[in-house]
Amino acid sequence: RYFDTNRLPITPIQMSTTAAKTEPARKVLGLHRETGETSITIDLNLDGTGVADVNTGIGFLDHMLSALAKHSRMDLTLRAKGDLHVDDHHTAEDCALVLGDAFRLALGERKGIKRFGYAYAPLDESLARAVIDISSRPHATVDLKLTREKIGDLSCEMIPHVIESFAMRANITVHVTVLYGTNCHHKSECAFKALALAIREAISRSSLPGDVPSTKNVLE
């Protein structure tokens, strides 16, 4: 399930908008979302070094989000408390939604970036491909070929849903495919690493700082 962005109970405590006239800072600090199911706070810096400090209460989700931050070189701090006595669904989904919101807000105006990114990432016998378009058209096609019920405390059905929820809220197009593999941990991890590398390429600054990478001259 997805929520209307305008109706979400999200409170941005602090946003950093400029570091220099030519290089605006792309970060969001203290974004908070509170519902009857979860309480989540996030700091996100798109121009970081890949430092991650993640605690969702779900170990494998922490592992995937930390890998995403590391290989995209985004700095991510995320704290979540959720109704894990029910199951992992609300916490995993809401963490992805808040991450997507933070990404969208930190990115700001969609100009001066490369817009498109793609990457392959292997992990032993598994290989994943990710393609991303900072398009302002939310879409996600995710095929991870997972066969287990759970990895650690994270349901395998939630792993593609995390990517889908992030893409929808970030307002981007994402295609993530595991091409082959046998180990579900490896398949999941190389998918998040490929996505991270594609994000790093897509949000990297182009040689034309004010250019909108679209024939429409607008990405919104």
Side-chain angles (χ1 to χ4, degrees), residues 103-126:
F103 181 90
R104 187 188 70 252
L105 292 170
L107 189 61
E109 288 189 271
R110 302 186 175 202
K111 61 183 181 180
I113 59 171
K114 292 185 178 179
R115 174 179 169 178
F116 299 101
Y118 72 93
Y120 290 82
L123 181 54
D124 295 348
E125 85 298 339
S126 298

Side-chain angles (χ1 to χ4, degrees), residues 121-128 180-183 185-187 189-190 193:
L123 181 54
D124 295 348
E125 85 298 339
S126 298
L127 179 66
Y180 47 79
T182 57
N183 184 290
H185 184 130
H186 292 173
K187 287 188 279 188
E189 187 169 343
C190 68
K193 288 177 176 177

